[in-house]
Amino acid sequence: MTRRWARHWLRSCREFPARALAVLDRREEDPGRTIHEFRRLMKAWRALLKLAPAELAEEGKAVRGAVGGLRRGFGIARDTAVVAKVLSALCPDHASEDDAQDAAAVLLAEQGDAVRDELRRLSAEMARWSVSNETGDFLVRAFRRSYRLARRQARRDPRRMDAEHLHEWRSMIVDLSYQLSFFAPADPARLGRLAKAAERLRSRLGNAIDLGMVRAHLAERPALDGVDALAQEIPRKIAKQRRKAAKLAKRLLARRPRRAGADLREAMEHRPPRRTSFG
């Protein structure tokens, strides 16, 4: 059964370019949503590439770097949309979501063709990959490593992490979230529950980071009306998101990495893989 999981992993990685192209080619009235969905696919792809076996380590690292570049290419539009969305909720006079959408549309038009070419190149690159000699053991080892790294970083206490470590930890949780979603069919009750918990945790961390970005945005515009009140409200909101993240992390990362890996291996041996949307 675990050999089926190995083949499923490779098949899933190979599907991402086509999925991303479908998102870019869809007639979407909301360009910001297109960018959001594209970036989520790139993050999911990156997370699965981190499960690559040793024989594909270098190839996987190269593709992962290219995927990161595609995601970062739309980062400016994403950050602009986040600032506009948060400010529209906290102080509508200070941001226009229409302006953010216009910026997203321009970026899609400017970068779209180059991104499509890169996706096709990466698809051709992965077409040469093979896991014919692999069982699913490499998946268990890589997942255990992701879990261990996230658990170790959580020892810093999310309520007190500086911005750099919070970003770093969220990236680990994002990877863990998508990996758990990939493995969830092996044990829908337990792994599905953990995948949802990881998604909630990444959301809390993302909220804290986004609010920090808005705080920095406002600090550069001290003359705006209402900035003083927002400057007091935003830190309280950040602290709340961090507290909730700390509680979620304790539940999500309660097991030791060795036990988490052993449980995953046992589940994979008894249930076949199934396609995951990563939507």
Side-chain angles (χ1 to χ4, degrees), residues 67-115:
V67 170
L70 291 174
R71 176 179 56 82
R72 290 190 296 273
F74 288 125
I76 295 176
R78 185 266 176 194
D79 292 348
T80 301
V82 165
V83 170
K85 182 177 180 180
V86 174
L87 286 180
S88 68
L90 296 178
C91 191
D93 294 336
H94 289 337
S96 169
E97 292 192 63
D98 290 338
D99 291 342
Q101 293 289 6
D102 291 343
V106 169
L107 197 60
L108 280 171
E110 291 178 345
Q111 297 191 15
D113 290 341
V115 169

mmCIF file of all heavy atoms in Angstrom, residues 67-115:
data_model
loop_
_atom_site.group_PDB
_atom_site.id
_atom_site.type_symbol
_atom_site.label_atom_id
_atom_site.label_comp_id
_atom_site.label_asym_id
_atom_site.label_seq_id
_atom_site.Cartn_x
_atom_site.Cartn_y
_atom_site.Cartn_z
ATOM 1 N N VAL A 67 9.185 27.453 -7.696
ATOM 2 C CA VAL A 67 7.815 27.643 -7.215
ATOM 3 C C VAL A 67 7.753 28.827 -6.250
ATOM 4 O O VAL A 67 6.825 29.647 -6.296
ATOM 5 C CB VAL A 67 7.313 26.356 -6.529
ATOM 6 C CG1 VAL A 67 5.993 26.608 -5.798
ATOM 7 C CG2 VAL A 67 7.138 25.246 -7.566
ATOM 8 N N GLY A 68 8.761 28.933 -5.372
ATOM 9 C CA GLY A 68 8.805 30.069 -4.460
ATOM 10 C C GLY A 68 8.895 31.388 -5.205
ATOM 11 O O GLY A 68 8.275 32.382 -4.817
ATOM 12 N N GLY A 69 9.652 31.393 -6.297
ATOM 13 C CA GLY A 69 9.751 32.604 -7.103
ATOM 14 C C GLY A 69 8.424 32.988 -7.728
ATOM 15 O O GLY A 69 8.074 34.174 -7.777
ATOM 16 N N LEU A 70 7.668 32.007 -8.198
ATOM 17 C CA LEU A 70 6.348 32.282 -8.770
ATOM 18 C C LEU A 70 5.407 32.864 -7.708
ATOM 19 O O LEU A 70 4.643 33.793 -7.987
ATOM 20 C CB LEU A 70 5.755 31.000 -9.345
ATOM 21 C CG LEU A 70 6.436 30.434 -10.591
ATOM 22 C CD1 LEU A 70 5.829 29.087 -10.963
ATOM 23 C CD2 LEU A 70 6.321 31.408 -11.761
ATOM 24 N N ARG A 71 5.483 32.307 -6.516
ATOM 25 C CA ARG A 71 4.623 32.810 -5.430
ATOM 26 C C ARG A 71 5.010 34.236 -5.053
ATOM 27 O O ARG A 71 4.147 35.114 -4.918
ATOM 28 C CB ARG A 71 4.745 31.885 -4.223
ATOM 29 C CG ARG A 71 3.969 32.361 -2.996
ATOM 30 C CD ARG A 71 4.125 31.370 -1.847
ATOM 31 N NE ARG A 71 5.514 31.139 -1.512
ATOM 32 C CZ ARG A 71 6.251 31.927 -0.732
ATOM 33 N NH1 ARG A 71 5.721 33.036 -0.224
ATOM 34 N NH2 ARG A 71 7.510 31.633 -0.463
ATOM 35 N N ARG A 72 6.304 34.480 -4.897
ATOM 36 C CA ARG A 72 6.755 35.813 -4.485
ATOM 37 C C ARG A 72 6.482 36.859 -5.555
ATOM 38 O O ARG A 72 6.330 38.045 -5.254
ATOM 39 C CB ARG A 72 8.246 35.780 -4.143
ATOM 40 C CG ARG A 72 8.567 35.025 -2.864
ATOM 41 C CD ARG A 72 10.020 35.228 -2.463
ATOM 42 N NE ARG A 72 10.940 34.676 -3.455
ATOM 43 C CZ ARG A 72 11.358 33.421 -3.470
ATOM 44 N NH1 ARG A 72 10.938 32.572 -2.543
ATOM 45 N NH2 ARG A 72 12.199 32.994 -4.404
ATOM 46 N N GLY A 73 6.431 36.429 -6.820
ATOM 47 C CA GLY A 73 6.169 37.371 -7.894
ATOM 48 C C GLY A 73 4.841 38.090 -7.758
ATOM 49 O O GLY A 73 4.682 39.211 -8.243
ATOM 50 N N PHE A 74 3.887 37.433 -7.094
ATOM 51 C CA PHE A 74 2.575 38.054 -6.872
ATOM 52 C C PHE A 74 2.420 38.558 -5.439
ATOM 53 O O PHE A 74 1.329 38.913 -5.008
ATOM 54 C CB PHE A 74 1.460 37.055 -7.175
ATOM 55 C CG PHE A 74 1.291 36.761 -8.639
ATOM 56 C CD1 PHE A 74 1.345 35.461 -9.105
ATOM 57 C CD2 PHE A 74 1.089 37.781 -9.542
ATOM 58 C CE1 PHE A 74 1.192 35.175 -10.459
ATOM 59 C CE2 PHE A 74 0.934 37.515 -10.901
ATOM 60 C CZ PHE A 74 0.987 36.207 -11.359
ATOM 61 N N GLY A 75 3.521 38.574 -4.689
ATOM 62 C CA GLY A 75 3.452 38.955 -3.280
ATOM 63 C C GLY A 75 3.038 40.392 -3.058
ATOM 64 O O GLY A 75 2.306 40.699 -2.113
ATOM 65 N N ILE A 76 3.518 41.296 -3.927
ATOM 66 C CA ILE A 76 3.190 42.713 -3.745
ATOM 67 C C ILE A 76 1.689 42.933 -3.848
ATOM 68 O O ILE A 76 1.090 43.654 -3.039
ATOM 69 C CB ILE A 76 3.935 43.571 -4.780
ATOM 70 C CG1 ILE A 76 5.441 43.500 -4.538
ATOM 71 C CG2 ILE A 76 3.451 45.015 -4.736
ATOM 72 C CD1 ILE A 76 6.257 44.242 -5.579
ATOM 73 N N ALA A 77 1.068 42.290 -4.830
ATOM 74 C CA ALA A 77 -0.382 42.434 -4.998
ATOM 75 C C ALA A 77 -1.112 41.873 -3.792
ATOM 76 O O ALA A 77 -2.109 42.436 -3.332
ATOM 77 C CB ALA A 77 -0.840 41.720 -6.271
ATOM 78 N N ARG A 78 -0.619 40.751 -3.284
ATOM 79 C CA ARG A 78 -1.255 40.139 -2.112
ATOM 80 C C ARG A 78 -1.149 41.066 -0.908
ATOM 81 O O ARG A 78 -2.127 41.278 -0.179
ATOM 82 C CB ARG A 78 -0.590 38.791 -1.833
ATOM 83 C CG ARG A 78 -1.237 37.998 -0.700
ATOM 84 C CD ARG A 78 -0.558 38.246 0.607
ATOM 85 N NE ARG A 78 -1.230 37.559 1.712
ATOM 86 C CZ ARG A 78 -1.002 37.816 2.992
ATOM 87 N NH1 ARG A 78 -0.138 38.762 3.319
ATOM 88 N NH2 ARG A 78 -1.647 37.156 3.934
ATOM 89 N N ASP A 79 0.038 41.642 -0.667
ATOM 90 C CA ASP A 79 0.228 42.523 0.490
ATOM 91 C C ASP A 79 -0.643 43.772 0.376
ATOM 92 O O ASP A 79 -1.231 44.221 1.367
ATOM 93 C CB ASP A 79 1.702 42.927 0.606
ATOM 94 C CG ASP A 79 2.597 41.752 0.978
ATOM 95 O OD1 ASP A 79 2.061 40.698 1.371
ATOM 96 O OD2 ASP A 79 3.833 41.902 0.876
ATOM 97 N N THR A 80 -0.734 44.313 -0.834
ATOM 98 C CA THR A 80 -1.577 45.496 -1.042
ATOM 99 C C THR A 80 -3.037 45.178 -0.746
ATOM 100 O O THR A 80 -3.752 45.967 -0.114
ATOM 101 C CB THR A 80 -1.441 45.994 -2.492
ATOM 102 O OG1 THR A 80 -0.078 46.316 -2.755
ATOM 103 C CG2 THR A 80 -2.306 47.231 -2.723
ATOM 104 N N ALA A 81 -3.484 44.000 -1.192
ATOM 105 C CA ALA A 81 -4.868 43.596 -0.955
ATOM 106 C C ALA A 81 -5.134 43.395 0.521
ATOM 107 O O ALA A 81 -6.202 43.747 1.039
ATOM 108 C CB ALA A 81 -5.180 42.319 -1.735
ATOM 109 N N VAL A 82 -4.156 42.818 1.237
ATOM 110 C CA VAL A 82 -4.326 42.576 2.674
ATOM 111 C C VAL A 82 -4.449 43.895 3.421
ATOM 112 O O VAL A 82 -5.349 44.060 4.269
ATOM 113 C CB VAL A 82 -3.144 41.755 3.224
ATOM 114 C CG1 VAL A 82 -3.119 41.807 4.745
ATOM 115 C CG2 VAL A 82 -3.256 40.314 2.763
ATOM 116 N N VAL A 83 -3.566 44.835 3.144
ATOM 117 C CA VAL A 83 -3.619 46.134 3.818
ATOM 118 C C VAL A 83 -4.953 46.819 3.547
ATOM 119 O O VAL A 83 -5.603 47.353 4.465
ATOM 120 C CB VAL A 83 -2.445 47.029 3.371
ATOM 121 C CG1 VAL A 83 -2.639 48.459 3.888
ATOM 122 C CG2 VAL A 83 -1.126 46.462 3.867
ATOM 123 N N ALA A 84 -5.391 46.787 2.296
ATOM 124 C CA ALA A 84 -6.663 47.423 1.944
ATOM 125 C C ALA A 84 -7.835 46.755 2.654
ATOM 126 O O ALA A 84 -8.742 47.436 3.149
ATOM 127 C CB ALA A 84 -6.865 47.375 0.435
ATOM 128 N N LYS A 85 -7.814 45.427 2.722
ATOM 129 C CA LYS A 85 -8.914 44.702 3.352
ATOM 130 C C LYS A 85 -8.986 44.977 4.846
ATOM 131 O O LYS A 85 -10.070 45.220 5.399
ATOM 132 C CB LYS A 85 -8.757 43.206 3.103
ATOM 133 C CG LYS A 85 -9.887 42.373 3.678
ATOM 134 C CD LYS A 85 -9.701 40.904 3.339
ATOM 135 C CE LYS A 85 -10.843 40.063 3.912
ATOM 136 N NZ LYS A 85 -10.674 38.620 3.576
ATOM 137 N N VAL A 86 -7.841 44.933 5.506
ATOM 138 C CA VAL A 86 -7.824 45.171 6.954
ATOM 139 C C VAL A 86 -8.232 46.601 7.263
ATOM 140 O O VAL A 86 -9.048 46.856 8.166
ATOM 141 C CB VAL A 86 -6.431 44.857 7.536
ATOM 142 C CG1 VAL A 86 -6.367 45.253 9.014
ATOM 143 C CG2 VAL A 86 -6.115 43.369 7.389
ATOM 144 N N LEU A 87 -7.691 47.546 6.515
ATOM 145 C CA LEU A 87 -8.027 48.945 6.769
ATOM 146 C C LEU A 87 -9.479 49.246 6.447
ATOM 147 O O LEU A 87 -10.100 50.073 7.112
ATOM 148 C CB LEU A 87 -7.105 49.863 5.965
ATOM 149 C CG LEU A 87 -5.666 49.995 6.476
ATOM 150 C CD1 LEU A 87 -4.885 50.930 5.583
ATOM 151 C CD2 LEU A 87 -5.646 50.496 7.914
ATOM 152 N N SER A 88 -10.028 48.576 5.442
ATOM 153 C CA SER A 88 -11.434 48.825 5.111
ATOM 154 C C SER A 88 -12.351 48.378 6.244
ATOM 155 O O SER A 88 -13.442 48.927 6.417
ATOM 156 C CB SER A 88 -11.809 48.108 3.810
ATOM 157 O OG SER A 88 -11.791 46.705 3.985
ATOM 158 N N ALA A 89 -11.898 47.390 7.005
ATOM 159 C CA ALA A 89 -12.685 46.920 8.150
ATOM 160 C C ALA A 89 -12.469 47.808 9.372
ATOM 161 O O ALA A 89 -13.417 48.124 10.097
ATOM 162 C CB ALA A 89 -12.318 45.477 8.479
ATOM 163 N N LEU A 90 -11.212 48.221 9.590
ATOM 164 C CA LEU A 90 -10.900 49.003 10.783
ATOM 165 C C LEU A 90 -11.159 50.484 10.597
ATOM 166 O O LEU A 90 -11.577 51.186 11.527
ATOM 167 C CB LEU A 90 -9.431 48.803 11.177
ATOM 168 C CG LEU A 90 -9.023 47.392 11.595
ATOM 169 C CD1 LEU A 90 -7.539 47.360 11.899
ATOM 170 C CD2 LEU A 90 -9.818 46.932 12.807
ATOM 171 N N CYS A 91 -10.887 50.971 9.381
ATOM 172 C CA CYS A 91 -11.013 52.407 9.122
ATOM 173 C C CYS A 91 -11.223 52.622 7.624
ATOM 174 O O CYS A 91 -10.256 52.835 6.874
ATOM 175 C CB CYS A 91 -9.748 53.132 9.598
ATOM 176 S SG CYS A 91 -9.906 54.924 9.617
ATOM 177 N N PRO A 92 -12.454 52.529 7.150
ATOM 178 C CA PRO A 92 -12.756 52.546 5.708
ATOM 179 C C PRO A 92 -12.211 53.743 4.944
ATOM 180 O O PRO A 92 -11.982 53.656 3.735
ATOM 181 C CB PRO A 92 -14.286 52.535 5.683
ATOM 182 C CG PRO A 92 -14.690 51.935 6.983
ATOM 183 C CD PRO A 92 -13.660 52.384 7.973
ATOM 184 N N ASP A 93 -11.972 54.850 5.628
ATOM 185 C CA ASP A 93 -11.517 56.047 4.920
ATOM 186 C C ASP A 93 -10.063 55.964 4.476
ATOM 187 O O ASP A 93 -9.601 56.779 3.685
ATOM 188 C CB ASP A 93 -11.674 57.290 5.813
ATOM 189 C CG ASP A 93 -13.141 57.585 6.098
ATOM 190 O OD1 ASP A 93 -13.987 57.160 5.285
ATOM 191 O OD2 ASP A 93 -13.424 58.219 7.126
ATOM 192 N N HIS A 94 -9.330 54.963 4.973
ATOM 193 C CA HIS A 94 -7.894 54.928 4.728
ATOM 194 C C HIS A 94 -7.464 53.965 3.634
ATOM 195 O O HIS A 94 -6.281 53.824 3.374
ATOM 196 C CB HIS A 94 -7.156 54.554 6.017
ATOM 197 C CG HIS A 94 -7.186 55.634 7.050
ATOM 198 N ND1 HIS A 94 -7.388 56.956 6.738
ATOM 199 C CD2 HIS A 94 -7.046 55.581 8.402
ATOM 200 C CE1 HIS A 94 -7.365 57.681 7.844
ATOM 201 N NE2 HIS A 94 -7.165 56.872 8.870
ATOM 202 N N ALA A 95 -8.365 53.265 2.991
ATOM 203 C CA ALA A 95 -7.955 52.306 1.963
ATOM 204 C C ALA A 95 -9.081 52.059 0.987
ATOM 205 O O ALA A 95 -10.251 52.140 1.337
ATOM 206 C CB ALA A 95 -7.518 50.993 2.597
ATOM 207 N N SER A 96 -8.709 51.728 -0.223
ATOM 208 C CA SER A 96 -9.672 51.382 -1.256
ATOM 209 C C SER A 96 -9.358 49.992 -1.781
ATOM 210 O O SER A 96 -8.281 49.770 -2.348
ATOM 211 C CB SER A 96 -9.612 52.402 -2.400
ATOM 212 O OG SER A 96 -10.361 51.932 -3.503
ATOM 213 N N GLU A 97 -10.280 49.062 -1.583
ATOM 214 C CA GLU A 97 -10.067 47.709 -2.109
ATOM 215 C C GLU A 97 -10.104 47.711 -3.635
ATOM 216 O O GLU A 97 -9.509 46.840 -4.278
ATOM 217 C CB GLU A 97 -11.117 46.763 -1.543
ATOM 218 C CG GLU A 97 -10.958 46.510 -0.052
ATOM 219 C CD GLU A 97 -11.798 45.357 0.443
ATOM 220 O OE1 GLU A 97 -11.572 44.214 -0.012
ATOM 221 O OE2 GLU A 97 -12.697 45.600 1.274
ATOM 222 N N ASP A 98 -10.794 48.695 -4.232
ATOM 223 C CA ASP A 98 -10.809 48.787 -5.693
ATOM 224 C C ASP A 98 -9.402 49.055 -6.225
ATOM 225 O O ASP A 98 -9.002 48.501 -7.262
ATOM 226 C CB ASP A 98 -11.759 49.900 -6.145
ATOM 227 C CG ASP A 98 -13.219 49.540 -5.893
ATOM 228 O OD1 ASP A 98 -13.513 48.335 -5.771
ATOM 229 O OD2 ASP A 98 -14.045 50.463 -5.818
ATOM 230 N N ASP A 99 -8.646 49.900 -5.534
ATOM 231 C CA ASP A 99 -7.274 50.184 -5.957
ATOM 232 C C ASP A 99 -6.426 48.919 -5.896
ATOM 233 O O ASP A 99 -5.585 48.675 -6.775
ATOM 234 C CB ASP A 99 -6.653 51.266 -5.067
ATOM 235 C CG ASP A 99 -7.299 52.635 -5.292
ATOM 236 O OD1 ASP A 99 -7.962 52.818 -6.332
ATOM 237 O OD2 ASP A 99 -7.139 53.515 -4.422
ATOM 238 N N ALA A 100 -6.639 48.115 -4.868
ATOM 239 C CA ALA A 100 -5.886 46.865 -4.731
ATOM 240 C C ALA A 100 -6.227 45.906 -5.867
ATOM 241 O O ALA A 100 -5.354 45.217 -6.404
ATOM 242 C CB ALA A 100 -6.187 46.221 -3.375
ATOM 243 N N GLN A 101 -7.493 45.862 -6.238
ATOM 244 C CA GLN A 101 -7.907 44.991 -7.338
ATOM 245 C C GLN A 101 -7.302 45.457 -8.658
ATOM 246 O O GLN A 101 -6.893 44.638 -9.497
ATOM 247 C CB GLN A 101 -9.435 44.973 -7.437
ATOM 248 C CG GLN A 101 -10.132 44.321 -6.257
ATOM 249 C CD GLN A 101 -9.927 42.812 -6.237
ATOM 250 O OE1 GLN A 101 -9.192 42.254 -7.030
ATOM 251 N NE2 GLN A 101 -10.575 42.141 -5.317
ATOM 252 N N ASP A 102 -7.236 46.756 -8.852
ATOM 253 C CA ASP A 102 -6.628 47.281 -10.072
ATOM 254 C C ASP A 102 -5.155 46.891 -10.140
ATOM 255 O O ASP A 102 -4.653 46.515 -11.215
ATOM 256 C CB ASP A 102 -6.773 48.810 -10.115
ATOM 257 C CG ASP A 102 -8.223 49.257 -10.320
ATOM 258 O OD1 ASP A 102 -9.033 48.416 -10.745
ATOM 259 O OD2 ASP A 102 -8.518 50.427 -10.038
ATOM 260 N N ALA A 103 -4.474 46.989 -9.012
ATOM 261 C CA ALA A 103 -3.060 46.630 -8.982
ATOM 262 C C ALA A 103 -2.872 45.141 -9.283
ATOM 263 O O ALA A 103 -1.936 44.753 -9.988
ATOM 264 C CB ALA A 103 -2.466 46.968 -7.608
ATOM 265 N N ALA A 104 -3.779 44.303 -8.766
ATOM 266 C CA ALA A 104 -3.705 42.862 -9.021
ATOM 267 C C ALA A 104 -3.919 42.561 -10.496
ATOM 268 O O ALA A 104 -3.228 41.720 -11.085
ATOM 269 C CB ALA A 104 -4.747 42.132 -8.168
ATOM 270 N N ALA A 105 -4.872 43.259 -11.112
ATOM 271 C CA ALA A 105 -5.152 43.042 -12.532
ATOM 272 C C ALA A 105 -3.947 43.416 -13.394
ATOM 273 O O ALA A 105 -3.603 42.709 -14.351
ATOM 274 C CB ALA A 105 -6.379 43.854 -12.951
ATOM 275 N N VAL A 106 -3.294 44.518 -13.055
ATOM 276 C CA VAL A 106 -2.110 44.949 -13.805
ATOM 277 C C VAL A 106 -0.994 43.917 -13.674
ATOM 278 O O VAL A 106 -0.328 43.554 -14.650
ATOM 279 C CB VAL A 106 -1.641 46.332 -13.310
ATOM 280 C CG1 VAL A 106 -0.268 46.665 -13.893
ATOM 281 C CG2 VAL A 106 -2.647 47.403 -13.689
ATOM 282 N N LEU A 107 -0.788 43.411 -12.455
ATOM 283 C CA LEU A 107 0.277 42.442 -12.227
ATOM 284 C C LEU A 107 0.019 41.145 -12.981
ATOM 285 O O LEU A 107 0.938 40.553 -13.557
ATOM 286 C CB LEU A 107 0.397 42.165 -10.722
ATOM 287 C CG LEU A 107 1.689 41.492 -10.248
ATOM 288 C CD1 LEU A 107 2.889 42.356 -10.589
ATOM 289 C CD2 LEU A 107 1.629 41.224 -8.755
ATOM 290 N N LEU A 108 -1.225 40.698 -12.992
ATOM 291 C CA LEU A 108 -1.560 39.490 -13.742
ATOM 292 C C LEU A 108 -1.297 39.675 -15.233
ATOM 293 O O LEU A 108 -0.785 38.769 -15.913
ATOM 294 C CB LEU A 108 -3.027 39.126 -13.518
ATOM 295 C CG LEU A 108 -3.368 38.398 -12.222
ATOM 296 C CD1 LEU A 108 -4.884 38.305 -12.051
ATOM 297 C CD2 LEU A 108 -2.754 37.005 -12.220
ATOM 298 N N ALA A 109 -1.640 40.840 -15.747
ATOM 299 C CA ALA A 109 -1.434 41.108 -17.169
ATOM 300 C C ALA A 109 0.056 41.170 -17.515
ATOM 301 O O ALA A 109 0.485 40.673 -18.557
ATOM 302 C CB ALA A 109 -2.111 42.419 -17.556
ATOM 303 N N GLU A 110 0.842 41.754 -16.617
ATOM 304 C CA GLU A 110 2.271 41.923 -16.877
ATOM 305 C C GLU A 110 3.046 40.610 -16.772
ATOM 306 O O GLU A 110 3.975 40.359 -17.534
ATOM 307 C CB GLU A 110 2.862 42.954 -15.915
ATOM 308 C CG GLU A 110 2.393 44.378 -16.159
ATOM 309 C CD GLU A 110 2.966 45.343 -15.145
ATOM 310 O OE1 GLU A 110 3.483 44.889 -14.097
ATOM 311 O OE2 GLU A 110 2.880 46.566 -15.383
ATOM 312 N N GLN A 111 2.667 39.772 -15.806
ATOM 313 C CA GLN A 111 3.460 38.578 -15.510
ATOM 314 C C GLN A 111 2.848 37.284 -16.039
ATOM 315 O O GLN A 111 3.502 36.240 -16.015
ATOM 316 C CB GLN A 111 3.671 38.448 -13.995
ATOM 317 C CG GLN A 111 4.453 39.585 -13.384
ATOM 318 C CD GLN A 111 4.868 39.284 -11.956
ATOM 319 O OE1 GLN A 111 4.816 38.155 -11.499
ATOM 320 N NE2 GLN A 111 5.266 40.313 -11.238
ATOM 321 N N GLY A 112 1.610 37.346 -16.482
ATOM 322 C CA GLY A 112 0.879 36.128 -16.818
ATOM 323 C C GLY A 112 1.589 35.202 -17.789
ATOM 324 O O GLY A 112 1.724 34.001 -17.534
ATOM 325 N N ASP A 113 2.072 35.733 -18.903
ATOM 326 C CA ASP A 113 2.697 34.879 -19.923
ATOM 327 C C ASP A 113 3.980 34.234 -19.404
ATOM 328 O O ASP A 113 4.246 33.052 -19.653
ATOM 329 C CB ASP A 113 2.983 35.687 -21.183
ATOM 330 C CG ASP A 113 1.705 36.076 -21.920
ATOM 331 O OD1 ASP A 113 0.662 35.432 -21.664
ATOM 332 O OD2 ASP A 113 1.756 37.007 -22.738
ATOM 333 N N ALA A 114 4.794 35.006 -18.692
ATOM 334 C CA ALA A 114 6.045 34.469 -18.156
ATOM 335 C C ALA A 114 5.769 33.375 -17.125
ATOM 336 O O ALA A 114 6.477 32.356 -17.082
ATOM 337 C CB ALA A 114 6.877 35.592 -17.530
ATOM 338 N N VAL A 115 4.748 33.575 -16.322
ATOM 339 C CA VAL A 115 4.390 32.570 -15.311
ATOM 340 C C VAL A 115 3.917 31.288 -15.987
ATOM 341 O O VAL A 115 4.295 30.176 -15.580
ATOM 342 C CB VAL A 115 3.302 33.128 -14.366
ATOM 343 C CG1 VAL A 115 2.736 32.019 -13.480
ATOM 344 C CG2 VAL A 115 3.878 34.237 -13.499
#
